[in-house]
Amino acid sequence: RSWVSLEAAVGVLEGSASCPGKAYLELVWKCRSAADVICIVFKNSYCANVSVEQFVNGWVQIMKPVQLMEDSHCELDAQSWHCLCSSAWRLTQFRAGEDVRVRLVLCQPSGLWDDFSVHLVSLHRLEGSDRDDFQKQSDGVGLFRRCKEAAAQHARAGLVPSRSVVSAVELLP
């Protein structure tokens, strides 16, 4: 199994990116298979938490908020790398050959910062595995933690984000 880069359109940040506030970043890609495992990798910039929504006759939450900063008032981990994997999403409608529209819902409740965002967003697909097979090997929270740890290791080593995702597979049980 290996991670391959996925061609995707990354939109412009919408909403209020001033603190405190909520902002949205839309991502669109062509679905290869309904069973694909997709990971979104990004560098945080003072965003306290993120959730994921999918557009299906309106925006529907498919991943509950995940904490990105241990404390929204402390900048210790405010610029860390993160990985959100679709195995943790409550998928509604992914159809082969169709465009998939999701958006990251970024939140920062603290008024201490001027603004917040995510940077260097990239999408990746796990080649040689499908979601059902993948979920049997790892729960979503454990996978998120391992992807986050791999991304942090590679960021410290100065490697590009896509390399972070590739090594996340090596950390799976």
Side-chain angles (χ1 to χ4, degrees):
R1 295 178 296 176
S2 62
W3 291 100
V4 295
S5 292
L6 187 62
E7 188 174 320
V10 178
V12 177
L13 197 64
E14 297 177 1
S16 174
S18 59
C19 299
K22 183 183 282 192
Y24 306 90
L25 183 66
E26 188 171 337
L27 310 167
V28 180
W29 69 90
K30 185 70 75 180
C31 182
R32 185 185 64 89
S33 163
D36 276 350
V37 176
I38 305 295
C39 281
I40 302 170
V41 177
F42 58 89
K43 184 175 183 184
N44 188 24
S45 179
Y46 295 88
C47 177
N49 65 65
V50 62
S51 61
V52 179
E53 296 178 343
Q54 182 182 4
F55 190 83
V56 182
N57 299 321
W59 291 105
V60 178
Q61 186 179 68
I62 59 174
M63 187 187 84
K64 292 182 180 182
V66 172
Q67 188 173 338
L68 301 179
M69 293 174 63
E70 188 172 330
D71 181 345
S72 63
H73 304 290
C74 178
E75 67 179 323
L76 181 64
D77 55 356
Q79 297 182 51
S80 298
W81 284 95
H82 295 276
C83 177
L84 305 176
C85 190
S86 63
S87 65
W89 302 351
R90 192 174 33 86
L91 298 176
T92 53
Q93 296 182 21
F94 275 27
R95 293 192 181 107
E98 292 186 5
D99 284 346
V100 176
R101 286 179 61 195
V102 300
R103 69 179 181 182
L104 304 180
V105 180
L106 312 171
C107 295
Q108 177 48 274
S110 175
L112 291 177
W113 319 115
D114 292 332
D115 57 23
F116 63 98
S117 184
V118 294
H119 302 288
L120 303 171
V121 178
S122 59
L123 278 82
H124 307 271
R125 180 176 50 80
L126 184 60
E127 189 74 36
S129 185
D130 66 28
R131 186 172 29 256
D132 292 337
D133 179 47
F134 196 62
Q135 284 178 325
K136 290 176 189 171
Q137 299 175 35
S138 176
D139 64 276
V141 174
L143 172 66
F144 179 81
R145 189 179 320 108
R146 284 189 290 280
C147 286
K148 188 173 172 181
E149 289 166 0
Q153 289 170 359
H154 285 280
R156 284 192 297 273
L159 299 176
V160 296
S162 59
R163 295 295 307 153
S164 304
V165 182
V166 171
S167 67
V169 177
E170 299 166 12
L171 297 175
L172 294 174

